[in-house]
Amino acid sequence: MATAAATSVSEPETEPKAAPKAEGEEDEAKAARTRKKVLSRTVATATYKTMGPGWDQQEEGVSESDGDEYAMASSAESSPGEYEWEYDEEEEKNQLEIERLEEQLSINVYDYNCHVDLIRLLRLEGELAKVRMARQKMSEIFPLTEELWLEWLHDEISMALDGLDREHVYDLFEKAVKDYICPNIWLEYGQYSVGGIGQKGGLEKVRSVFERALSSVGLHMTKGLAIWEAYREFESAIVEAARLEKVHSLFRRQLAIPLYDMEATFAEYEEWSEDPIPESVIQNYKKALQQLEKYKPYEEALLEAEAPRLAEYQAYIDFEMKIGDPARIQLIFERALVENCLVPDLWIRYSQYLDRQLKVKDLVLSVHNRAVRNCPWTVALWSRYLLAMERHGVDHQTISVTFEKALSAGFIQATDYVEIWQAYLDYLRRRVDFRQDSSKELEELRSAFTRALEYLKQEVEERFNESGDPSCMIMQNWARIEARLCNNMQKARELWDSIMTRGNAKYANMWLEYYNLERAHGDTQHCRKALHRAVQCTSDYPEHVCEVLLTMERTEGTLEDWDIAVQKTETRLARVNEQRIKAVEKEAALAQQEEEKAEHRKRARAEKKALKKKKKTRGADKRKADEDDEKEWGDDEEEQPSKRRRVENSIPSAGEAQDLEVETGLFGKSAPIDVDPPSKQKERAAVLKRDVPKVPHDSSKDSITVFVSNLPYSMEEPDVKLRPLFEACGEVVEIRPIFSNRGDFRGYCYVEFKEEKSALQALELDRKNVEGRPMFVSPCVDKSKNPDFKVFRYSTALEKHKLFISGLPFSCTKEELEEICKAHGTVRDIRLVTNRAGKPKGLAYVEYENESQASQAVMKMDGMTIKENVIKVAISNPPQRKVPEKPEAKKGPGGPMVPRQIYGARGKGRTQLSLLPRALQRPSTTAAQAENGPAPKPAVSTAATTEAPKMSNADFAKLLLRK
């Protein structure tokens, strides 16, 4: 390093001597532009010809690989026409891509990846002016990473030939060190400044850069050592009498800071120093070693973890906050933000610490500015930035410009725009001197309120289909300001009229808010008027509004006012009670109708069974009818609700099942070819059903049992096929598949484990693909005792770190979607939505590591084309499901309890046609009419009216024979 520094010191003397070698460069540059060489190759060639072979490439920022590329470029110059055709096709392709990227950026200037790709292509094509402009535009919008800055700086360093160019590079370094704290950039800055030591003030410039570098990253335990060593080597290379004391000072300062390899630094100091090391230095060194031991666990955790290491950095920050050293706290925050620059919560915590503890204007505002540049979609950062600017006395024009930037930042929710407008309006309100009747600030505040309402109505509603301010909080604040601070109740009343006309008149709390404002700043007449309107309009809590009106009239009103208030409140409450009673009666009537339908279906099924038993005794001429009945029997069984708790397992033992298979062919597909007629098969099935022992479900074992459904009906031996799958979760006691009366597998079963933890682990197999269908695994719960129980493993609330993607092609796989999504952040999980048969629906949920990555993905992926399908991407926020009111716990006036399942487990049937013969149908009790008079009044208990004498099978047969 000392040699490098010494070489850099003598650099200014060598530069003028190399100037004559620049003759003929124009022709060579023209040839290079024709071939469109890589920018770095072109830059290295021009600099090599200008500076001569003695130019130190590494010192000036050009790597050794660039020198190798120079050799390739110089060899290509010998015959330019030979290689020209090789670049034509690639050049044309690159130009088209450049035009596309520029057009894309003109539409969306916040496309980060588009900026990066454009810079890369322009650099590849050697467009020096354009690549500078592209980098400049990107740096104005986004903070650049360490890699992008170093690439830019190396390109500019290689082309800096005079003092003006060097000043331009200095300016770039100043911008670079402000984006993030990067030790490598500071090291480059210090080494480059050494090259200008021959200029006026060059030595002071170098020392200033190194001192700032030490203040910024000198405490960095793993990378700060390089800055200290570079500074010491520079001072050692200067031939001055005072240099020894400067080096001594650097050694002593360094040894007082806990850094890695401190022992080697101490040994080097002992060897370098001619005098014994002072005792105070040794004491500071030992103290720093003790501190290093405390920090080592956190540093080692960072070294062992993988980026972005947010959890490790959070623990490190907590440790530093307990110690309370501001410099170290600032450094660890900066280190964490280098890898987690898109985590809004980290920026909020950092800025909050600076606002409350350090309160240094330049530092605080710099951090707030970097925060909104990194996470522009986070409204909390913009609100905090506006407050910080106001707190530190920034001029009004700058704050207004910052607010306008916030409006164009692209928030992801309508409420975010309301929040930023609230923050800005609060700032404008604090500027107004309300002791004056009118002022420029007051007019600006009023115009801002007007603009805010228009913006929410036009811009925000158009984008989100909602204003984000359903309660009109902005208008409420405006009305309060007009009433309390401006004494302008007329304007406040106009604003409240507008609030009520926007759908808020039905809410009691809105009327009471207006009433309280009138009580404080208005008059009794308007209070009474507001409450009278509230009594007529309120629908959620009319009793409360009526009580407030009566209370006011009791304390302030006349007898006439009291009589009017009592009349209005009684009339209103009577109407409300009447409406409520009608709603209850309507609901009870609907529940009764559904109960009657269910009872009707139950009777129809019973009559079918009776008819089948009667037709068994008929001759061979009725075989076809018997077959139709058999089919109807099977269909009826398929349509019945899946009564999980009442199903009896009819699986025989292995030996019995084999005998049954040989005799009847009910189990499996190996039935004999010569089958008996359906009537005999049915008789045998009935006999077998009586012989097979029934195994009722044991509800006491629900905690160790899972319910498995949506299995293929064609699955053979489901207990054998499912056992290996569930044994991976723990020891399986029993698998009970459920079969129909004909022996067909019904697609669901119960799996009983030995331990409860195995059953819980088995729930993770939910949605696992089994023979082409997603298998549903849910807890075993008795729905007759828990009617509200429903298993849905995914959240239905707003999840800012999860995306909902629609419009996907059905052929899109999980791996293909993951490849697209991971370009915008760390993907935790991807779920492709399928139907019960396992077929894709073109929808997907993508879960990212944090909210910021998901927000970036929305901006970059929304409207993307995948396999000719344009997809839509949004933050996951499922709409609220309209859950039908369950009537099982509701009993109407004189009405019975309604059955829990109205239509059965499989939903409403395809038809509502009654299959009951008309001769057996009974007229509805509600429609029953007396023969010579009006319909009788319904009885108190509906259950009593619906009861009828039970009919036996013989009675049903007699009724049919009469036909």
Side-chain angles (χ1 to χ4, degrees):
M1 294 290 295
T3 307
T7 306
S8 301
V9 170
S10 60
E11 229 176 52
E13 286 117 14
T14 60
E15 286 182 6
K17 297 179 181 179
K21 296 188 179 181
E23 296 178 3
E25 281 188 11
E26 186 176 352
D27 296 336
E28 293 165 7
K30 185 177 181 180
R33 285 195 300 270
T34 303
R35 295 191 301 272
K36 295 293 183 181
K37 291 291 186 179
V38 179
L39 175 60
S40 58
R41 196 179 299 172
T42 306
V43 169
T45 303
T47 310
Y48 187 89
K49 290 180 173 292
T50 303
M51 301 300 296
W55 174 63
D56 189 349
Q57 293 177 350
Q58 187 173 358
E59 180 61 33
E60 290 295 325
V62 181
S63 63
E64 295 178 2
S65 60
D66 293 332
D68 296 336
E69 291 181 356
Y70 161 71
M72 296 169 59
S74 60
S75 63
E77 287 176 352
S78 58
S79 54
E82 181 180 349
Y83 295 94
E84 188 171 347
W85 64 272
E86 296 180 3
Y87 295 96
D88 289 343
E89 185 176 352
E90 183 180 359
E91 176 187 350
E92 183 178 357
K93 181 180 178 182
N94 290 341
Q95 287 296 336
L96 291 175
E97 181 66 11
I98 288 172
E99 292 176 2
R100 187 191 69 80
L101 292 172
E102 289 176 342
E103 182 180 358
Q104 182 68 21
L105 286 176
S106 65
I107 299 173
N108 180 17
V109 74
Y110 289 97
D111 192 332
Y112 185 89
N113 292 333
C114 196
H115 281 284
V116 175
D117 293 340
L118 179 61
I119 291 171
R120 178 182 57 80
L121 286 176
L122 290 174
R123 193 168 184 267
L124 187 68
E125 290 296 303
E127 300 285 353
L128 305 183
K130 288 185 178 181
V131 76
R132 277 178 175 170
M133 188 178 298
R135 282 167 167 163
Q136 184 66 31
K137 287 182 178 179
M138 184 178 182
S139 66
E140 291 173 357
I141 301 172
F142 299 105
L144 304 187
T145 63
E146 180 180 343
E147 292 76 14
L148 290 175
W149 270 120
L150 288 175
E151 181 184 77
W152 188 0
L153 289 168
H154 287 168
D155 289 344
E156 296 293 343
I157 288 173
S158 63
M159 293 181 289
L161 303 178
D162 53 23
L164 293 177
D165 292 340
R166 181 171 288 275
E167 289 299 324
H168 172 65
V169 175
Y170 283 153
D171 292 339
L172 283 182
F173 269 115
E174 290 297 331
K175 292 180 180 179
V177 296
K178 290 179 181 178
D179 276 354
Y180 302 108
I181 287 186
C182 299
N184 291 336
I185 293 181
W186 275 112
L187 186 61
E188 288 283 340
Y189 193 5
Q191 290 179 343
Y192 180 72
S193 64
V194 171
I197 195 173
Q199 298 178 352
K200 183 179 179 180
L203 180 60
E204 290 75 11
K205 175 71 174 178
V206 176
R207 285 177 173 166
S208 173
V209 169
F210 273 116
E211 287 294 339
R212 290 171 57 202
L214 291 180
S215 300
S216 180
V217 295
L219 298 178
H220 198 300
M221 299 191 66
T222 56
K223 296 183 179 181
L225 181 63
I227 304 293
W228 287 99
E229 289 182 348
Y231 194 6
R232 280 192 285 105
E233 290 171 0
F234 164 74
E235 292 292 349
S236 300
I238 299 176
V239 183
E240 290 182 2
R243 70 179 178 84
L244 294 178
E245 185 58 33
K246 188 70 175 178
V247 175
H248 272 293
S249 175
L250 288 174
F251 266 120
R252 293 168 185 172
R253 289 166 58 190
Q254 180 179 351
L255 291 173
I257 298 172
L259 298 173
Y260 271 43
D261 296 333
M262 290 188 64
E263 298 83 355
T265 304
F266 185 78
E268 182 182 353
Y269 186 28
E270 285 183 320
E271 182 180 354
W272 181 86
S273 178
E274 298 176 356
D275 301 327
I277 300 177
E279 185 64 26
S280 60
V281 176
I282 296 175
Q283 291 296 329
N284 290 336
Y285 166 68
K286 291 181 178 179
K287 185 178 179 181
L289 281 177
Q290 294 175 356
Q291 292 178 347
L292 180 62
E293 293 302 318
K294 296 180 181 179
Y295 288 112
K296 270 188 176 180
Y298 298 97
E299 292 290 344
E300 290 172 357
L302 290 175
L303 293 174
E304 293 172 1
E306 296 181 357
R309 301 185 277 246
L310 180 58
E312 290 76 14
Y313 276 119
Q314 292 281 18
Y316 204 163
I317 291 171
D318 293 338
F319 173 73
E320 290 286 12
M321 295 283 276
K322 290 179 182 178
I323 296 177
D325 185 350
R328 300 199 65 89
I329 292 174
Q330 183 184 350
L331 177 63
I332 192 58
F333 267 117
E334 293 289 350
R335 289 177 61 184
L337 288 169
V338 170
E339 298 184 20
N340 299 275
C341 60
L342 300 180
V343 179
D345 292 341
L346 190 59
W347 284 107
I348 290 174
R349 187 178 181 186
Y350 185 23
S351 60
Q352 183 175 329
Y353 168 76
L354 296 177
D355 286 334
R356 296 178 179 178
Q357 301 297 328
L358 295 187
K359 301 180 181 180
V360 179
K361 177 180 178 180
D362 293 338
L363 177 60
V364 169
L365 296 182
S366 172
V367 170
H368 278 289
N369 181 46
R370 290 161 54 204
V372 297
R373 291 178 67 201
N374 279 277
C375 305
W377 61 87
T378 307
V379 67
L381 293 175
W382 287 101
S383 300
R384 290 172 176 271
Y385 191 14
L386 294 177
L387 288 172
M389 296 174 79
E390 181 184 3
R391 194 176 295 121
H392 290 282
V394 178
D395 63 276
H396 174 61
Q397 182 64 29
T398 304
I399 295 178
S400 298
V401 170
T402 303
F403 169 71
E404 296 298 332
K405 290 181 179 179
L407 287 182
S408 61
F411 299 130
I412 59 178
Q413 296 182 95
T415 53
D416 292 345
Y417 288 94
V418 178
E419 183 177 343
I420 194 63
W421 270 110
Q422 288 275 36
Y424 184 59
L425 292 169
D426 292 344
Y427 156 71
L428 294 178
R429 194 267 307 163
R430 288 189 285 267
R431 295 180 67 240
V432 179
D433 183 5
F434 290 100
R435 292 172 295 183
Q436 303 178 9
D437 293 337
S438 66
S439 62
K440 178 181 177 182
E441 289 79 8
L442 179 58
E443 294 304 319
E444 184 178 0
L445 175 62
R446 284 171 171 164
S447 62
F449 269 115
T450 304
R451 183 189 167 201
L453 298 178
E454 293 176 354
Y455 187 91
L456 294 177
K457 183 177 181 181
Q458 298 175 4
E459 302 290 337
V460 178
E461 284 191 9
E462 182 179 349
R463 179 179 172 188
F464 297 98
N465 295 324
E466 60 168 326
S467 67
D469 191 15
S471 299
C472 301
M473 293 305 300
I474 290 180
M475 295 182 71
Q476 289 189 45
N477 291 336
W478 190 3
R480 294 189 192 101
I481 291 172
E482 293 288 353
R484 296 175 183 175
L485 301 177
C486 301
N487 298 320
N488 188 355
M489 275 304 299
Q490 182 62 32
K491 180 64 176 179
R493 293 182 185 117
E494 292 175 3
L495 291 170
W496 269 106
D497 285 341
S498 179
I499 292 172
M500 292 306 181
T501 56
R502 298 193 180 191
N504 293 299
K506 59 184 177 182
Y507 300 117
N509 65 318
M510 300 296 288
W511 284 108
L512 295 178
E513 185 71 26
Y514 177 34
Y515 165 73
N516 290 330
L517 189 68
E518 285 285 359
R519 290 284 291 178
H521 307 285
D523 51 49
T524 305
Q525 180 181 356
H526 285 91
C527 290
R528 183 176 291 110
K529 183 179 179 181
L531 288 178
H532 283 186
R533 290 176 60 192
V535 168
Q536 298 299 323
C537 300
T538 302
S539 60
D540 54 350
Y541 298 106
E543 294 88 352
H544 186 43
V545 174
C546 292
E547 182 181 353
V548 173
L549 174 59
L550 293 175
T551 301
M552 189 194 78
E553 299 298 359
R554 179 176 287 113
T555 56
E556 299 181 20
T558 63
L559 177 61
E560 183 181 358
D561 295 332
W562 171 261
D563 291 339
I564 294 174
V566 170
Q567 181 182 356
K568 284 193 174 184
T569 54
E570 288 180 351
T571 303
R572 174 60 177 165
L573 292 179
R575 187 163 63 249
V576 169
N577 290 331
E578 182 181 351
Q579 292 173 351
R580 290 173 179 173
I581 292 173
K582 286 183 179 179
V584 171
E585 291 176 349
K586 183 178 180 180
E587 187 176 354
L590 290 174
Q592 184 176 348
Q593 291 177 11
E594 296 300 338
E595 184 188 49
E596 292 174 356
K597 291 179 181 178
E599 185 66 24
H600 185 71
R601 289 192 294 269
K602 185 177 179 181
R603 289 199 303 268
R605 288 195 293 269
E607 290 164 4
K608 279 186 182 181
K609 292 179 181 179
L611 289 175
K612 288 181 181 180
K613 290 181 180 179
K614 183 68 178 177
K615 290 180 180 179
K616 280 184 183 179
T617 59
R618 298 187 180 181
D621 57 337
K622 297 288 184 78
R623 286 183 180 178
K624 184 176 180 181
D626 290 338
E627 292 175 0
D628 294 339
D629 290 342
E630 179 68 14
K631 184 176 180 181
E632 289 181 3
W633 172 276
D635 293 342
D636 184 62
E637 288 296 327
E638 286 296 319
E639 291 177 2
Q640 287 186 13
S642 54
K643 303 173 184 175
R644 297 180 182 176
R645 294 292 168 254
R646 292 161 52 191
V647 168
E648 295 181 349
N649 196 334
S650 58
I651 306 177
S653 62
E656 292 174 346
Q658 187 176 2
D659 295 337
L660 292 176
E661 185 176 344
V662 174
E663 292 180 10
T664 65
L666 289 176
F667 298 88
K669 294 185 178 180
S670 57
I673 299 175
D674 297 331
V675 296
D676 291 332
S679 59
K680 291 186 177 182
Q681 289 185 19
K682 194 171 181 182
E683 292 175 4
R684 289 187 179 183
V687 172
L688 291 173
K689 187 175 180 182
R690 288 195 301 270
D691 295 339
V692 175
K694 307 298 182 183
V695 183
H697 178 74
D698 189 356
S699 300
S700 64
K701 297 181 179 180
D702 284 351
S703 61
I704 58 174
T705 306
V706 295
F707 179 70
V708 184
S709 59
N710 203 44
L711 296 169
Y713 296 128
S714 60
M715 179 180 285
E716 299 179 1
E717 299 182 344
D719 54 338
V720 176
K721 291 188 177 181
L722 294 176
R723 184 172 290 273
L725 190 62
F726 286 97
E727 282 182 341
C729 304
E731 183 178 349
V732 176
V733 176
E734 183 184 14
I735 297 180
R736 298 192 297 277
I738 306 304
F739 295 90
S740 66
N741 290 332
R742 296 186 300 171
D744 297 329
F745 180 48
R746 300 189 66 178
Y748 60 92
C749 66
Y750 297 88
V751 181
E752 180 183 336
F753 292 92
K754 188 175 182 180
E755 298 179 348
E756 184 177 352
K757 64 179 183 180
S758 302
L760 295 175
Q761 187 176 352
L763 296 177
E764 298 179 3
L765 297 176
D766 187 39
R767 290 344 192 249
K768 183 176 181 61
N769 192 281
V770 176
E771 295 189 4
R773 292 174 66 89
M775 174 180 68
F776 298 163
V777 183
S778 58
C780 194
V781 176
D782 189 350
K783 287 193 174 180
S784 63
K785 298 178 182 178
N786 301 276
D788 295 330
F789 177 79
K790 186 174 182 181
V791 177
F792 189 70
R793 59 186 293 190
Y794 304 107
S795 172
T796 57
L798 172 65
E799 295 179 281
K800 294 185 179 181
H801 67 291
K802 186 180 291 186
L803 305 184
F804 173 68
I805 304 178
S806 59
L808 288 168
F810 294 149
S811 60
C812 182
T813 64
K814 182 177 180 180
E815 291 74 17
E816 292 174 344
L817 185 58
E818 182 178 8
E819 190 67 24
I820 296 172
C821 295
K822 72 181 183 181
H824 310 296
T826 304
V827 178
R828 284 186 174 179
D829 183 44
I830 292 181
R831 176 166 62 94
L832 294 178
V833 183
T834 61
N835 57 20
R836 295 180 68 90
K839 303 298 182 182
K841 300 174 70 173
L843 309 175
Y845 289 90
V846 180
E847 181 180 355
Y848 279 94
E849 191 172 50
N850 53 53
E851 167 191 342
S852 58
Q853 294 179 0
S855 303
Q856 284 288 324
V858 169
M859 291 189 292
K860 296 172 184 176
M861 292 177 59
D862 189 29
M864 178 185 291
T865 301
I866 300 178
K867 296 183 180 179
E868 300 181 357
N869 283 39
V870 178
I871 64 172
K872 293 183 179 180
V873 184
I875 297 295
S876 177
N877 188 15
Q880 294 295 325
R881 294 176 176 266
K882 294 184 179 179
V883 181
E885 295 184 2
K886 297 186 177 182
E888 66 269 12
K890 298 180 181 178
K891 184 181 289 188
M897 296 294 288
V898 181
R900 179 172 62 86
Q901 287 186 332
I902 297 175
Y903 297 118
R906 300 191 182 183
K908 190 174 181 180
R910 295 182 179 179
T911 176
Q912 295 299 321
L913 295 177
S914 175
L915 300 179
L916 187 67
R918 279 193 289 273
L920 301 181
Q921 290 183 356
R922 297 191 209 120
S924 174
T925 56
T926 58
Q929 291 251 342
E931 201 171 71
N932 296 317
K937 295 183 179 180
V940 175
S941 175
T942 310
T945 62
T946 56
E947 284 184 2
K950 294 185 178 180
M951 300 178 68
S952 64
N953 294 339
D955 295 331
F956 280 108
K958 290 178 182 178
L959 289 173
L960 291 173
L961 292 175
R962 289 175 188 171
K963 301 298 287 185

